[in-house]
Amino acid sequence: MEPMVAIFWPAGEEVLQTAAQYGIKNVLVYGGPGSQHMTYQDYVAMRMKIESYDLKLAAIEGGFTPQLDYHDVMFGGPKQDELIEDLLNQVRDMGRAGIPIYGYNWMPNSWGRAQPTIVRGGALGTGYDYDWENSRRPSTFGKDMDEDTMWDALEYWIKAVTPVAEEVGMRCGIHPDDPPVPQRGGVPSIFRNFAAYKRLVEIVDSDYNAIEFCQGTFSEMPGEDIYEMIDYFGKRNKILYVHFRNVSGKAPSFNEEFINTGYVNMKKAMRTYRDAGFTGNFIDDHCPLMVNDDDFPGNLGGYRSRLFAQGYIAGVIESVKKEVEYGGPVDMSAVRKGASS
Amino acid sequence: MGLNSSSNREALRFMAQLGVQDVVLNTPPVPTKNGKWELGDLIGLKSGVESWGLKLTAIENTQIDMRHHLISGGPRFDEQLENMIETIKAIGNAGIPMYTMSWRYPRYYRTGHVDIGWGALGTAYDAEVENWPSVIDWEISLDRAWECLETWVKEATPVAEKYGVRLGLHPVDPPMPEIGGVPSLLINFENYKRMIDIVDSPYNSILLCQGSFSQFAGADQENGESIYDMIEYFVKRERVLYVHFRNVSGTVPKFHETFVNTGHVDMYKAMRIYAENGFNGFFMDDHVPMTIGDSSWGHRSKAYANGYIQSLIETVTDTSLYGLH
């Protein structure tokens, strides 16, 4: 278990040097198939640039699925086989270049939010409300799409990509639908609950068919227990890495929070990963917008907000590892009793 | 948990967003009037902090020229003693619950910076490089230096009790035996034990700059006087007001500052000792390394340290700082 930082590519020197200075040894780059087209040589150059700062290119994260060009892969259209062949070639290039993990999603409408919310100290967290979105989002394809068709196409894809991932040694995993609601613009959000992920990992029983575990989104799933899901998939070695962010509650209405002001007990979550035998990395993912923050070349949140989350992540990882030899955290009820006696 | 010295509005808002609740102002720009601070100015200072939903929990240091004769036994000792006691009364009347200060003259200093990895800079001290000229034009013996401290503690503590201001003394940083011709007292475990015994009162306490304590000779050894031993001793006796939670590599005569989680001190272990002994004060980041692209105040580096501190408090005690779970 180690901290990881997620950045856009190409990366400037400042962000790589920042990661090196703060001891954040693992780097995730947003990209891969469907973003700017990168060749085998581009991936090798990316990895070497990152390694030149004594950092590790630990994962690439992206998603071809929100792009119209690739929709036949998700809905089983006429160009399905041709597109999959192209994607598999890109997956081979990434794997051969030494990229160990590829995280992607299955969201034709990408991710979405509604109005932002004021959080701690007047900072801004993203917000979501199902009715708000539904009243504004037009139908994506002019008709409601069929969920079974999407599952069929997904199974076809998983059966095609998993052997290639195994062959080149690059583990692949899917990010949940964020927000995890029934549908958006007439397109079913198929990765919106625990059951969908159990179904996914059983399509092909392989470490190379896994999950990009956005803990934030899993925490937003109505009716599900976040700790149970961490435990279940952690024990089965299905978690590639974690988006370690926090939220106020679950769909249909929630907002993002600072890492330690949401409803999820992040200490308990981290202990659950540890006890399940998880050994991967944790990224800050989205961070609230803070006063006068400096733009960060990555996801939501500037340098300051992100480094707060990174400090928190480093501390909770260190603590949860070290507390094992002490037999757990300090029993504060005993301390208080001792003080009063 | 708590923070720090700048009182400008952006800094206060930034700290509120980081989740800071207690604010410490170090040498705030309160005007010195006839050698002392006055109530009206302190009320203005306090309301400026409170207007951001924060609490002004402590003032750390007055201007050094209000108290340099007091510390180093100069000819204006009596005058400064009286003015500082009047200042303590004003702080109490303003409703500020703590006043802490560094019992040293000259002030804090370093001799350089060290690259602590990929160009991040930590401040550094090396006794071989240090070359302070004498800062006083009188002589002061070690005995006289103790007499000055004892007089202050004996005179100030009853006033502090009456006015509801807990007093705490910060170590000499760097903790060398003599600087600029003035003997240093608060540089080791033994002298701190002696200091708190001058008057046995919670109003005669310690600002536990864990960084400075970690720089004490031998603080990195298992000798019964390690940083962990010192924390336990003073927390058990309820004589720690709050903590400067920073880390260092090495001890005097040569050391440098590091990131909060990369020095010789195991910060997790330290945090457990505070918790196990019932400490209920706060932790602040204090000095942080300079990192690429950061503001001169160090917003990014402070954000990192604050995140780390919050996670250690929450994980060690298995509680939420916000009462959430």
Side-chain angles (χ1 to χ4, degrees), chain B:
Chain B
M1 159 202 38
L3 243 236
N4 220 318
S5 55
S6 173
S7 62
N8 73 58
R9 289 182 295 175
E10 192 240 26
L12 291 169
R13 188 158 173 229
F14 175 67
M15 284 300 154
Q17 294 184 353
L18 289 184
V20 166
Q21 294 148 7
D22 297 281
V23 172
V24 174
L25 295 179
N26 191 337
T27 325
V30 176
T32 310
K33 294 173 182 166
N34 298 318
K36 53 195 177 232
W37 284 359
E38 292 185 354
L39 178 62
D41 297 316
L42 288 164
I43 296 281
L45 190 72
K46 182 166 174 255
S47 60
V49 172
E50 287 175 348
S51 71
W52 296 95
L54 301 165
K55 189 178 166 207
L56 178 54
T57 305
I59 286 176
E60 200 169 307
N61 294 315
T62 54
Q63 289 88 338
I64 189 66
D65 61 4
M66 288 169 69
R67 54 195 167 88
H68 58 321
H69 286 245
L70 176 66
I71 294 166
S72 59
R76 292 169 53 209
F77 179 90
D78 289 340
E79 171 201 331
Q80 289 194 346
L81 174 65
E82 190 180 320
N83 284 336
M84 281 304 297
I85 283 177
E86 290 303 311
T87 298
I88 299 294
K89 291 178 185 171
I91 290 170
N93 284 335
I96 299 164
M98 295 178 188
Y99 172 69
T100 57
M101 80 174 137
S102 298
W103 193 263
R104 67 186 170 214
Y105 178 59
R107 295 204 55 198
Y108 155 88
Y109 65 95
R110 293 287 187 262
T111 56
H113 291 88
V114 167
D115 180 346
I116 56 172
W118 285 100
L121 294 180
T123 72
Y125 176 76
D126 184 346
E128 289 194 4
V129 176
E130 186 252 304
N131 188 22
W132 263 99
S134 177
V135 294
I136 52 175
D137 53 13
W138 57 88
E139 296 288 321
I140 177 169
S141 66
L142 184 60
D143 285 345
R144 172 63 183 148
W146 273 108
E147 196 177 278
C148 292
L149 176 62
E150 284 169 4
T151 304
W152 164 254
V153 171
K154 285 177 182 166
E155 296 284 329
T157 306
V159 175
E161 285 176 355
K162 188 174 168 195
Y163 285 81
V165 185
R166 288 188 72 184
L167 303 179
L169 292 178
H170 182 292
V172 176
D173 184 8
M176 294 292 287
E178 183 256 293
I179 300 161
V182 183
S184 305
L185 305 179
L186 300 178
I187 56 168
N188 56 39
F189 196 8
E190 182 191 343
N191 288 0
Y192 257 105
K193 288 178 181 168
R194 179 171 168 183
M195 190 280 279
I196 65 166
D197 286 343
I198 296 170
V199 177
D200 184 13
S201 161
Y203 289 81
N204 172 35
S205 282
I206 301 169
L207 191 190
L208 203 145
C209 174
Q210 193 182 304
S212 303
F213 274 80
S214 304
Q215 294 155 199
F216 289 0
D220 56 350
Q221 308 293 315
E222 289 184 25
N223 55 1
E225 298 190 3
S226 74
I227 182 63
Y228 314 106
D229 296 317
M230 292 189 280
I231 293 168
E232 182 179 348
Y233 183 91
F234 294 115
V235 171
K236 265 191 176 150
R237 284 160 181 76
E238 298 184 42
R239 302 299 277 277
V240 178
L241 296 187
Y242 60 92
V243 178
H244 286 180
F245 202 63
R246 66 173 171 85
N247 212 336
V248 293
S249 176
T251 66
V252 285
K254 187 176 179 180
F255 63 84
H256 65 263
E257 297 188 21
T258 62
F259 283 96
V260 64
N261 56 346
T262 59
H264 79 71
V265 179
D266 178 340
M267 299 304 256
Y268 177 78
K269 181 177 175 180
M271 186 63 80
R272 283 191 76 99
I273 295 170
Y274 290 106
E276 283 165 349
N277 292 288
F279 179 61
N280 60 4
F282 58 89
F283 296 85
M284 57 181 269
D285 58 357
D286 201 33
H287 312 161
V288 291
M290 291 170 64
T291 59
I292 183 171
D294 206 354
S295 66
S296 61
W297 192 50
H299 286 81
R300 295 181 189 180
S301 201
K302 283 180 180 297
Y304 186 85
N306 274 274
Y308 181 86
I309 291 169
Q310 289 184 31
S311 71
L312 254 57
I313 295 170
E314 293 195 328
T315 313
V316 163
T317 61
D318 203 23
T319 55
S320 163
L321 284 164
Y322 306 93
L324 292 162
H325 13 73

Side-chain angles (χ1 to χ4, degrees), chain A residues 274-275 318-329, chain B residues 268 272:
Chain A
R274 177 196 67 198
D275 294 342
E318 178 186 342
S319 299
V320 163
K321 285 180 179 171
K322 285 183 175 172
E323 73 182 18
V324 174
E325 66 178 273
Y326 293 91
Chain B
Y268 177 78
R272 283 191 76 99

Side-chain angles (χ1 to χ4, degrees), chain A residues 303-335:
Chain A
Y303 268 97
R304 297 171 185 181
S305 192
R306 192 169 308 285
L307 284 164
F308 174 82
Q310 284 288 344
Y312 192 91
I313 292 171
V316 75
I317 291 175
E318 178 186 342
S319 299
V320 163
K321 285 180 179 171
K322 285 183 175 172
E323 73 182 18
V324 174
E325 66 178 273
Y326 293 91
V330 174
D331 179 355
M332 294 309 290
S333 61
V335 170

